[in-house]
């Protein structure tokens, strides 16, 4: 073969080899791409992605389910109390505003002078502390990072004095920030913030830094009734400076910071002292103008008081009953209310899948120290649960498509699916296929798979406690192990069932804002009320997050009319007693049996005396209220319960002297005869029949009479609920079930009635499981009622003989109400439509009538203050909203 042929053959082989290589690379890449979807990697992205917070040597708030421990000045193990509560309380009572800028002070424009001190070493931090210790006041602001962190962390602290601006690198100095603690806790140095609610909590969470002596320019805005409260508004108004608030969402972890971010960070604190000085001068001017008036408010002191109230806040972790529980409830609520959600054939399976995915997401976020929204969006969870994909590829595409549709994919810095999902796609696949749960508890499975001996994820200071504790709720497990007998187990099960059934299923407070047409904040409200105004074109939307509207008409009242700032304070969805945030119920401090009879203008649209309590605090408060009701009954001589009822058409002197029949006896006997009459022993049937006949004047009774007796004192709502719950349908169109009531302090069953009562015990209606307005009571509440039923109402242990001493113990003008004929005419008509004869309603009606007659509306106000004091003494609430006061005016 000649040289030319050899060359051509060699070229042909080369081309063929190159083609084969290209084809091989193409198919290999395709296989790898498919493999990426079908079989996720065996190692986690956390090994290759190093976060700045991984360099922290110590964190006060890790990602475990253990509660946060606050700084304790005496105990190294931490505390649940505020270490500087006494100092802050003293400032709240007697504020000492000392923000007086020197005469030669001039606010320097940052555009012409942007000099600052970057503090990133312990030496520089100590020098800063020495400088701050010489100041009477300084300004503070913080920048947070929350996207790539489960709890979030402080990435930068800006501090400004009259002479210098400081930027503290809290990432580099995270473990040394405690050096700042004494100067922030010094009550003789005023710290100036704007909107300090979150800053106060973040400094506690990350560094155990507690602010003592605060002036918040946002609170000054409220007192001055400024049209807006934002710092951007104040900067533009007082300094002529316009800022770009979008920079607040930048990644403040990056080092070095960009020039725009540096300028933004310096701006917030640099001008704050000047703004505070201007606002205090305005407050003083108002004080001088009102010095001769009867107005009680002192504007400077009020602004300082509101500011220092913020310092009493304590950071708490949101520890849920189970991982991801709050997200589950939010998604369920959104699913029920949304009209855009596709129809789901198996609702039970949907709820189960949502709960599993939320649990998985919560654990993944804690393990990888990422935010929930970074790991997996709520919309993606809903899409996966409504139509579960069958393959890894479909899971991947479903998440990406859903996030893009909700504008989270293409226009967001959050990748979709996230690296967490890509690294753990097998978990989601197994979960949707119901394979993950079969291996055991999802918490244990995930923790061992990610952090165990052969775990694929990176151990860190944030997730190590998850592996060590081995349980999402170690405290609950510890308590559970102490349960010693079946009765305790039963009580715990009843409590859990009560929480599940009656606790609020969605947040109560949405903290939406309503402004007057001149820009003054009127109140906070929920979204429903906000949407009501907007749908009727009575307001316009002025804020998005949280939502706020401005009314297009002059409102009837103003917050200053109340002489109280309770209604212009944001409120947290936690128990006001202990801070529990996993579940809560509404609790009415003024019992409904009294409040329902207040004049309309004293009770409508009033939320001051409705608070949130967990089940345990609710039980304490309710027991104290029941005890105090008995004291009220003895004090006013107005018994708690209706002693007996008499049919108005059959009433005669003989029957009135006999006292009629107890309403509970009457209902119990009528129900037993209707349900089991023919099958009862003859003597028992005759005994119960005699009880009903006494109500009807001794005449023979029919089935229609029994139905009428069963409905005595029932409200229409009670009747509908009774029919629905018992599956009982009234056959006869019964006449009015009005009865002439007489009161006594207990409702007792006649001897032998226990069988009839127990016969219906499982139905619960006749055992008063709800209060006068249908609100549910705890099992312990029934025990309290049982104690009342036995006559144990008097604190001194002496029983009040109502029958013999009623006329002597009643206040003037009240005893005649107990005359059957007068009661029938004066009170019964109003009573029948609203109140159950089995509750405290009639008692409450008479108490309120007496107070109004003897003392007028001032008497009602003092009566309410007594109840608030009872609540405070019983529950010792530590988380009441700002402005809540025992002496609050109605």
């Amino acid at each position: 073969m000649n040289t030319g042929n050899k060359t051509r053959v060699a070229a042909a082989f080369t081309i063929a080899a190159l083609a084969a290589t290209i084809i091989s690379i193409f198919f290999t890449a395709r296989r790898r791409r498919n493999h990426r979807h079908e079989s996720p990697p065996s190692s986690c992205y956390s090994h290759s992605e190093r976060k700045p917070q991984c360099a922290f040597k110590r964190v006060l708030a890790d990602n475990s389910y253990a509660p946060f421990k606050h700084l304790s000045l005496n105990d190294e193990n931490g505390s649940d109390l505020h270490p500087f509560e006494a100092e802050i309380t003293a400032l709240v009572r007697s504020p000492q505003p000392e923000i007086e800028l020197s005469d030669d002070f001039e606010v320097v424009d940052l555009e012409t002078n942007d000099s600052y001190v970057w503090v990133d070493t312990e030496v520089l931090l100590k020098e800063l502390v020495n400088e701050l210790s010489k100041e009477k006041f300084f300004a503070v602001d913080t920048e947070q990072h929350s996207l790539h962190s489960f709890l979030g962390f402080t990435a930068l602290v800006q501090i400004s004095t009259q002479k210098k601006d400081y930027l503290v690198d809290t990432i580099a100095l995270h473990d040394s920030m405690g050096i700042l603690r004494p100067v922030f806790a010094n009550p003789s140095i005023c710290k100036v913030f704007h909107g300090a609610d979150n800053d106060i909590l973040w400094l506690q969470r990350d560094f155990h830094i507690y602010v003592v002596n605060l002036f918040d320019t946002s609170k000054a805005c409220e007192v001055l009734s400024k049209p807006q409260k934002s710092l951007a508004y104040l900067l533009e108004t007082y300094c002529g400076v316009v800022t770009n608030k979008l920079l607040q969402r930048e990644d403040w972890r990056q080092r070095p910071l960009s020039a725009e971010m540096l300028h933004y960070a310096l701006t917030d604190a640099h001008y704050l002292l000047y703004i505070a000085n201007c606002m205090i001068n305005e407050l003083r001017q108002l004080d001088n103008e009102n010095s001769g008036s009867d107005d009680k408010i002192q504007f400077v002191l009020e602004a300082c008081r509101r500011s220092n109230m913020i310092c009493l806040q304590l950071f708490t972790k949101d520890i849920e009953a189970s991982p991801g529980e709050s997200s589950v409830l939010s998604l369920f609520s959104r699913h029920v209310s949304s009209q855009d959600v596709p129809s789901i054939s198996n609702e039970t399976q949907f709820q189960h899948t949502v709960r599993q995915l939320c649990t998985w997401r919560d654990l993944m976020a804690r393990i990888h120290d990422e935010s929930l929204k970074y790991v997996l969006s709520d919309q993606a969870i809903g899409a996966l649960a409504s139509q579960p994909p069958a393959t890894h590829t479909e899971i991947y595409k479903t998440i990406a498509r859903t996030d893009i549709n909700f504008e989270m994919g293409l226009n967001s810095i959050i990748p979709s699916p996230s690296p967490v999902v890509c690294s753990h796609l097998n978990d989601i696949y197994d979960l949707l296929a119901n394979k993950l749960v079969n291996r055991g508890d999802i918490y244990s499975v995930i923790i061992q798979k990610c952090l165990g001996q052969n775990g694929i994820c990176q151990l860190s200071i944030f997730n190590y406690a998850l592996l060590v504790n081995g349980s999402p709720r170690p405290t609950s497990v510890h308590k559970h192990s102490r349960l010693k007998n079946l009765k305790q187990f039963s009580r715990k099960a009843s409590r859990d069932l009560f929480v599940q059934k009656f606790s609020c299923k969605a947040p109560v407070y949405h903290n939406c804002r309503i402004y007057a047409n001149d820009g003054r904040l009127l109140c906070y409200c929920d979204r429903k009320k906000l949407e009501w105004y907007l749908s009727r074109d009575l307001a316009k939307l002025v804020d998005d997050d949280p939502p706020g509207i401005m009314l297009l008409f002059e409102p009837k009242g103003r917050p200053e009319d109340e002489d109280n700032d309770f209604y212009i304070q944001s409120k947290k969805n936690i128990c006001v007693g202990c801070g529990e945030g996993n579940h809560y119920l509404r609790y009415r401090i003024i019992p409904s049996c009294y409040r329902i009879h207040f004049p309309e203008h004293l009770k409508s649209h009033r939320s001051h005396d409705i608070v949130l309590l967990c089940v345990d605090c609710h039980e304490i408060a309710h027991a104290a209220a029941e005890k105090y009701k008995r004291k009220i009954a003895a004090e006013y001589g107005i018994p708690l319960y209706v002693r007996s009822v008499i049919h108005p058409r059959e009433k005669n002197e003989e029957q009135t002297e006999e006292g009629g029949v107890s309403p509970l006896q009457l209902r119990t006997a009528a129900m037993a005869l209707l349900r089991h009459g023919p099958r009862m022993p003859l003597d028992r049937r005759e005994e119960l029949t005699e009880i009903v006949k006494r109500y009807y004047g001794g005449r023979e009774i029919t089935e229609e009479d029994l139905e009428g007796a069963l409905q005595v004192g029932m409200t229409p709502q009670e009747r509908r609920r009774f029919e629905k719950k018992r599956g009982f349908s009234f056959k006869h169109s019964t006449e009015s079930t009005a009865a002439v009531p007489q009161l006594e302090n207990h409702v007792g069953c006649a001897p032998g009635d226990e069988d009839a009562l127990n016969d219906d015990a499982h139905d619960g209606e006749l055992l008063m499981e709800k209060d006068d307005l249908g609100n549910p009571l705890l099992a312990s509440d029934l025990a309290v009622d049982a104690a009342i039923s036995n006559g144990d109402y008097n604190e001194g242990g002496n029983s009040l003989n109502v029958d013999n001493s009623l006329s002597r113990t009643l206040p003037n003008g009240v005893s005649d109400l107990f005359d059957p004929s007068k009661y029938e005419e004066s009170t019964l008509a109003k009573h029948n439509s609203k109140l159950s004869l089995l509750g405290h309603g009639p008692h409450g009606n008479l108490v309120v009538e007496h107070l109004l007659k003897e003392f007028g509306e001032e008497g009602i106000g003092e009566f309410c203050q007594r109840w608030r004091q009872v609540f405070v003494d019983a529950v010792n609430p530590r988380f009441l909203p700002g402005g809540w006061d025992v002496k609050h005016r109605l």
Side-chain angles (χ1 to χ4, degrees):
M1 184 181 294
N2 56 31
T3 304
N5 290 336
K6 288 182 180 179
T7 303
R8 285 193 294 273
V9 170
F13 274 110
T14 302
I15 292 171
L18 183 60
T21 302
I22 292 173
I23 293 172
S24 175
I25 291 173
F26 173 79
F27 282 105
T28 300
R30 185 172 181 179
R31 282 196 301 272
R32 285 179 179 176
R33 185 166 63 250
N34 291 337
H35 180 71
R36 182 182 65 182
H37 291 174
E38 297 295 337
S39 183
S42 57
S43 63
C44 180
Y45 83 102
S46 58
H47 289 280
S48 58
E49 186 173 306
R50 185 76 175 171
K51 297 180 181 178
Q53 61 262 41
C54 292
F56 299 165
K57 294 181 180 178
R58 179 173 179 263
V59 291
L60 299 172
D62 59 22
N63 295 342
S64 71
Y65 298 90
F68 181 80
K69 288 295 183 182
H70 283 273
L71 175 69
S72 175
L73 302 179
N74 302 316
D75 184 5
E76 294 182 358
N77 295 325
S79 169
D80 297 327
L81 305 176
H82 200 301
F84 300 99
E85 183 175 355
E87 292 86 344
I88 297 171
T89 303
L91 288 168
V92 169
R93 292 171 180 167
S94 303
Q96 303 172 0
E98 295 185 10
I99 303 177
E100 191 96 29
L101 299 181
S102 58
D103 296 334
D104 59 347
F105 176 79
E106 291 184 8
V107 60
V108 180
D109 191 347
L110 283 177
E111 298 295 339
T112 59
N113 182 7
D114 60 351
S115 62
Y116 62 91
V117 179
W118 180 263
V119 180
D120 61 352
T121 66
E122 279 194 36
V123 173
L124 290 173
L125 188 62
K126 290 178 180 178
E127 291 178 2
L128 171 60
V129 170
N130 290 334
E131 291 296 323
L132 296 178
S133 301
K134 303 172 186 176
E135 301 288 335
K136 290 185 178 180
F137 48 85
F138 57 85
V140 186
D141 190 29
T142 68
E143 302 299 339
Q144 295 290 306
H145 180 80
S146 58
L147 179 62
H148 292 287
S149 172
F150 183 73
L151 292 175
F153 63 90
T154 306
L156 189 72
V157 170
Q158 306 97 282
I159 299 177
S160 290
T161 65
Q162 294 186 69
K163 299 177 180 178
K164 288 184 181 179
D165 297 315
Y166 301 88
L167 297 181
V168 182
D169 185 353
T170 54
I171 295 178
L173 292 171
H174 181 274
D175 301 319
S176 306
M177 286 295 290
I179 295 173
L180 281 173
R181 197 174 296 143
V183 73
F184 273 80
N186 189 337
S188 63
I189 303 175
C190 181
K191 277 65 71 174
V192 180
F193 284 75
H194 180 85
D197 299 76
N198 289 326
D199 298 298
I200 294 293
L201 301 179
W202 292 335
L203 290 172
Q204 294 175 10
R205 175 197 65 195
D206 294 336
F207 315 119
H208 269 171
I209 289 178
Y210 297 83
V211 179
V212 180
N213 193 353
L214 168 68
F215 184 82
D216 190 334
T217 50
S218 174
K219 296 300 178 184
C221 285
E222 292 179 4
V223 177
L224 289 168
S225 298
K226 295 288 184 182
Q228 296 182 41
K229 290 198 309 180
S230 68
L231 182 56
Y233 166 78
L234 297 180
L235 285 168
E236 189 171 354
T237 302
Y238 290 101
C239 308
V241 174
V242 179
T243 59
N244 179 12
K245 279 298 176 181
L246 292 177
L247 290 169
Q248 191 176 24
R249 302 179 183 178
E250 290 293 315
D251 187 354
W252 289 94
R253 302 175 305 163
Q254 63 177 279
R255 298 291 185 269
L257 297 174
S258 67
E260 294 83 2
M261 294 172 71
L262 282 171
H263 183 76
Y264 172 84
L266 287 167
T267 300
D268 280 3
H270 176 80
Y271 295 100
L272 203 51
L273 289 179
Y274 175 75
I275 292 172
N277 186 60
C278 293
M279 300 186 81
I280 286 183
N281 288 336
E282 291 180 29
L283 292 165
R284 284 173 179 159
Q285 185 177 351
L286 285 176
D287 281 334
N288 293 333
E289 293 172 357
N290 293 331
S291 59
S293 69
D294 296 331
D295 198 343
K296 298 179 182 179
I297 187 170
Q298 294 178 283
F299 292 92
V300 175
L301 297 182
E302 178 62 16
C304 294
R305 186 188 69 81
R306 295 188 189 188
S307 298
N308 283 299
M309 285 288 290
I310 301 173
C311 298
L312 289 172
Q313 294 183 106
L314 284 174
F315 171 77
T316 56
K317 283 185 181 180
D318 293 330
I319 303 175
E320 301 168 324
S322 60
E325 185 66 22
S326 61
S327 297
V328 171
L329 296 177
S330 176
L331 278 163
F332 286 171
S333 175
R334 199 179 311 168
H335 166 67
V336 171
S337 61
S338 175
Q339 302 298 322
D340 301 326
V341 178
S343 60
I344 300 168
S345 57
N346 192 336
E347 186 70 21
T348 302
Q349 182 60 37
F350 169 78
Q351 294 183 5
H352 172 75
T353 305
V354 165
R355 194 175 294 278
Q356 294 289 315
L357 286 171
C358 286
T359 300
W360 178 87
R361 180 179 67 171
D362 184 86
L363 290 170
M364 287 294 111
R366 293 174 186 272
I367 290 169
H368 298 89
D369 196 28
E370 302 281 7
S371 61
L372 295 177
K373 64 180 179 182
Y374 180 82
V375 175
L376 189 62
S377 68
D378 285 350
Q379 293 81 11
I381 289 178
L384 291 171
S386 58
Q387 295 179 347
T391 66
H392 292 81
T393 304
E394 289 178 8
I395 294 172
Y396 190 100
K397 290 180 178 178
T398 298
I399 295 172
R401 182 172 57 251
T402 303
D403 287 343
I404 290 174
N405 290 341
F406 282 89
E407 298 182 351
M408 289 189 58
L410 296 177
N411 302 320
S412 173
I413 59 173
I414 303 177
S416 180
S418 68
V420 180
V421 170
C422 293
S423 297
H424 299 272
L425 203 58
N426 270 332
D427 289 346
I428 300 180
Y429 174 81
D430 290 345
L431 191 150
L432 294 176
N434 288 323
K435 296 179 180 179
L436 193 63
V437 184
N438 292 340
R439 298 186 223 162
D441 175 61
I442 186 171
Y443 177 88
S444 303
V445 170
I446 294 295
I447 292 298
Q448 288 303 317
K449 186 175 182 180
C450 294
L451 302 176
Q453 187 172 2
N454 298 316
I456 64 174
C457 301
Q458 182 77 35
L459 267 174
S460 73
I461 194 171
F462 293 96
N463 62 29
Y464 180 71
L466 291 169
L467 180 64
V468 173
N469 291 337
S471 168
R473 296 297 302 276
T475 54
S476 298
V477 174
H478 180 60
K479 290 178 182 177
H480 185 75
S481 65
R482 295 202 304 253
L483 300 178
K484 297 178 181 179
N485 54 50
L486 184 60
K487 184 180 291 186
Q488 288 175 305
F489 276 105
S490 176
R491 178 173 175 80
K492 181 179 182 301
S494 298
R495 179 188 181 279
D496 293 343
L497 180 62
F498 187 90
V499 170
Q500 180 183 355
K501 187 173 182 180
F502 294 115
S503 62
C504 299
K505 302 300 186 293
V508 174
Y509 301 123
H510 298 162
N511 290 318
C512 304
R513 292 164 293 175
I514 297 182
Y515 296 96
N517 48 10
D518 59 359
R520 296 186 183 186
L521 179 64
L522 291 177
C523 66
Y524 285 83
C525 68
D526 58 16
R527 291 180 183 272
K528 188 175 181 181
K529 178 176 287 188
L530 215 68
E531 292 166 358
W532 187 91
Y533 282 107
L534 291 172
S535 65
R536 289 162 175 77
D537 294 326
L538 297 174
K540 63 179 180 179
L541 190 67
V542 293
D543 288 324
D544 293 323
D545 189 19
I549 60 171
M550 180 178 290
L551 300 182
L552 301 178
F553 60 91
E554 177 61 29
K556 183 178 180 180
R558 301 277 183 156
E560 52 264 31
D561 299 336
E562 299 287 341
D563 193 22
N564 188 287
D565 59 357
F566 172 80
Y567 296 102
I568 55 173
Q569 298 288 330
S570 60
K571 300 173 181 65
K572 294 185 177 181
N573 289 290
I574 60 174
C575 169
V576 300
C578 64
E580 169 69 56
N582 298 321
H583 76 272
Y584 37 80
L585 304 86
R586 290 182 180 88
Y587 178 77
R588 291 164 176 80
I589 295 174
I590 315 299
S592 300
C593 65
Y594 303 113
R595 188 177 181 275
I596 193 175
H597 301 293
F598 286 1
E600 188 63 30
H601 65 282
L602 294 185
K603 65 180 179 180
S604 62
H605 305 292
R606 304 284 167 167
S607 59
H608 181 273
D609 295 319
I610 301 176
V611 296
L612 300 183
L613 292 179
C614 67
V615 165
D616 299 322
C617 292
H618 189 286
E619 189 169 6
I620 294 170
H622 180 78
E626 290 299 310
K627 182 178 179 181
Y628 201 70
K629 279 184 190 177
R630 300 196 289 274
K631 184 176 180 180
I632 293 290
E635 177 181 343
Y636 291 108
I638 300 177
L640 280 174
Y641 289 99
V642 172
R643 182 189 61 172
S644 60
V645 288
I646 307 169
H647 195 283
R649 293 185 181 179
E650 308 296 340
K651 183 183 64 168
N652 54 54
E653 291 184 6
E654 180 182 353
Q655 188 178 24
T656 303
E657 291 175 2
E658 291 177 357
V661 59
S662 156
L664 181 59
Q665 272 188 307
L666 180 64
R667 279 199 198 177
T668 303
M671 187 64 198
L673 289 169
L674 282 169
R675 293 182 64 182
H676 309 295
R679 299 190 299 275
M680 278 184 175
L682 181 60
D683 56 344
R684 178 60 175 159
R685 185 166 70 246
E686 289 178 351
E687 181 183 353
L688 295 179
T689 302
E690 283 301 316
I691 293 175
V692 181
K693 288 170 69 175
R694 284 211 311 270
Y695 172 70
Y696 285 107
R699 66 171 173 82
E700 293 300 319
I701 57 173
T702 64
E703 184 177 356
E704 184 176 353
D705 292 330
L706 289 176
E707 289 189 6
L710 182 59
Q711 298 177 70
V712 166
M714 274 191 184
T715 65
Q717 180 185 4
E718 280 182 322
R719 174 173 171 166
R720 289 191 297 270
R721 189 168 63 239
F722 181 87
E723 290 179 321
K724 181 178 179 181
K725 189 169 185 178
R726 299 288 187 89
F728 185 91
S729 177
F730 293 101
K731 300 177 182 178
H732 304 278
S733 178
T734 56
E735 58 189 52
S736 171
T737 55
V740 180
Q742 296 173 315
L743 300 186
E744 70 172 3
N745 276 292
H746 66 279
V747 176
C749 292
D753 277 356
E754 292 84 354
D755 294 335
L757 188 61
N758 293 334
D759 184 55
D760 291 314
H762 65 280
D763 294 311
E765 269 308 306
L766 298 182
L767 289 181
M768 296 170 57
E769 290 189 359
K770 298 180 183 291
D771 67 12
D772 307 312
L773 296 182
N775 298 317
L777 303 178
L778 295 175
S780 59
D781 301 337
L782 300 180
V784 173
D785 287 335
I788 300 171
S789 299
N790 293 328
D792 303 328
Y793 64 91
N794 195 338
E795 289 185 28
N798 299 320
S799 175
L800 178 65
N801 189 332
V802 179
D803 294 329
N804 297 329
S805 60
L806 186 59
S807 60
R808 296 193 299 274
T809 57
L810 289 179
N812 293 334
V814 177
S815 59
D816 63 336
L817 292 176
F818 289 85
D819 180 82
S821 60
K822 293 183 179 180
Y823 193 94
E824 180 181 7
E825 296 171 0
S826 63
T827 311
L828 189 57
K830 292 183 292 183
H831 163 81
N832 281 338
S833 62
K834 291 184 177 181
L835 301 176
S836 167
L837 287 179
L838 293 183
H840 298 160
H843 157 81
N845 186 22
L846 295 177
V847 169
V848 173
E849 283 185 355
H850 168 66
L851 290 172
L852 288 172
K853 183 175 181 180
E854 295 294 321
F855 310 107
E857 292 184 359
E858 287 296 324
I860 297 293
E862 292 178 4
F863 186 69
C864 291
Q865 291 179 18
R866 292 172 63 180
W867 279 105
R868 294 187 195 113
Q869 193 61 54
V870 169
F871 171 75
V872 170
D873 293 342
V875 179
N876 190 24
R878 295 187 290 125
F879 299 91
L880 282 167
W884 193 94
D885 190 1
V886 169
K887 298 187 180 296
H888 176 76
R889 293 188 302 113
L890 289 175

